[in-house]
Amino acid sequence: MKQKQQTEYEKMVLGKLFNPADKSFFFTLARAEWLQRKLNKAPLWAQGRKERIFKKLVGSVDGNPYNIFTPFKVVCGKNIHIGKNFFANWNLCLQDYAEIHIGDNVFIGPNVSIVTIQHPINADERKPRKVPGSLISGSRGNFEKALPVHIGNNVLIYTNVTICPGVTIGDNSIIGAGSVVTKDIPANVLACGVPCKVVREITDEDRIME
């Protein structure tokens, strides 16, 4: 029996080279765009409505998010999986070509991007080429890879942070403002910088509540 050929979307999920302009992405991308438009138009006071739209937009969320400030941007939506008590401030961008897993009690500040897609390093490989089935005019397209991102429980990510493909951030850690996270960050640490590096462990001496 002839084996069914994988779609470009299926290749993407499996971490293989894929063409993100392929027609197999159309419904997923169109649905995500429609839902996030509804989410971003909902007023701040309509939190219940925002939560209902948010649950349809993402792949899974455990319970109701704590709060979602808009605008909020995703690519596919259904590759995002979120735990309890999720808080997202303005301008969170989740580029979920691969899966993004976010644990419980995660707080994310303004202007944060979580990126999963890897563009080719070789300049020649970045040039658009003739690709059958491409949505781009003239059937032009390119080939890329995507790597999943994992964020543990009780993580705090400050403003203007970029998290790169394939990164894991451990439980209870804090990512300082303006950081670019290119490698895994262990649990229970304060990390910051470009590239992001561990500054120190978080201890009981950091408590501010008596």
Side-chain angles (χ1 to χ4, degrees):
M1 182 180 294
K2 188 176 180 181
Q3 190 173 6
K4 182 183 176 183
Q5 188 174 2
Q6 290 177 329
T7 67
E8 295 300 305
Y9 187 89
E10 289 170 336
K11 292 177 185 177
M12 175 193 77
V13 173
L14 292 170
K16 299 179 179 180
L17 280 173
F18 71 98
N19 171 25
D22 186 75
K23 291 178 181 177
S24 61
F25 286 85
F26 179 79
F27 177 77
T28 297
L29 299 181
R31 181 180 183 275
E33 182 178 0
W34 174 66
L35 286 170
Q36 64 195 306
R37 281 177 184 268
K38 292 181 66 175
L39 177 67
N40 291 330
K41 286 181 179 180
L44 183 62
W45 51 262
Q47 184 62 19
R49 187 195 313 170
K50 290 168 71 175
E51 288 174 356
R52 289 191 295 273
I53 299 169
F54 186 81
K55 286 182 176 181
K56 293 179 181 178
L57 175 59
V58 301
S60 64
V61 57
D62 192 350
N64 291 327
Y66 175 67
N67 212 334
I68 308 153
F69 287 9
T70 51
F72 176 86
K73 178 67 178 176
V74 304
V75 177
C76 300
K78 64 182 183 179
N79 294 324
I80 300 166
H81 305 281
I82 297 172
K84 300 181 179 70
N85 303 320
F86 175 66
F87 173 81
N89 216 313
W90 297 284
N91 293 321
L92 174 60
C93 177
L94 302 178
Q95 196 185 38
D96 60 314
Y97 287 99
E99 290 192 342
I100 297 174
H101 293 268
I102 299 173
D104 298 340
N105 308 312
V106 172
F107 278 34
I108 299 181
N111 302 316
V112 169
S113 296
I114 300 177
V115 180
T116 64
I117 200 164
Q118 289 185 309
H119 298 286
I121 294 175
N122 185 286
D124 184 62
E125 291 182 340
R126 289 197 302 271
K127 294 177 182 177
R129 62 199 68 216
K130 192 80 171 179
V131 181
S134 178
L135 288 170
I136 299 175
S137 62
S139 296
R140 306 292 283 178
N142 210 330
F143 289 95
E144 297 159 353
K145 279 188 176 181
L147 294 174
V149 170
H150 294 82
I151 297 172
N153 299 322
N154 311 311
V155 171
L156 172 59
I157 300 171
Y158 277 102
T159 184
N160 294 318
V161 169
T162 300
I163 299 173
C164 295
V167 162
T168 294
I169 298 174
D171 293 349
N172 310 315
S173 286
I174 296 175
I175 307 299
S179 297
V180 178
V181 188
T182 60
K183 296 182 179 180
D184 292 353
I185 301 296
N188 303 301
V189 298
L190 170 64
C192 62
V194 182
C196 188
K197 296 180 179 179
V198 174
V199 176
R200 63 176 176 85
E201 291 187 0
I202 297 171
T203 69
D204 285 343
E205 294 182 1
D206 292 303
R207 292 184 179 274
I208 61 174
M209 296 183 184
E210 297 181 358

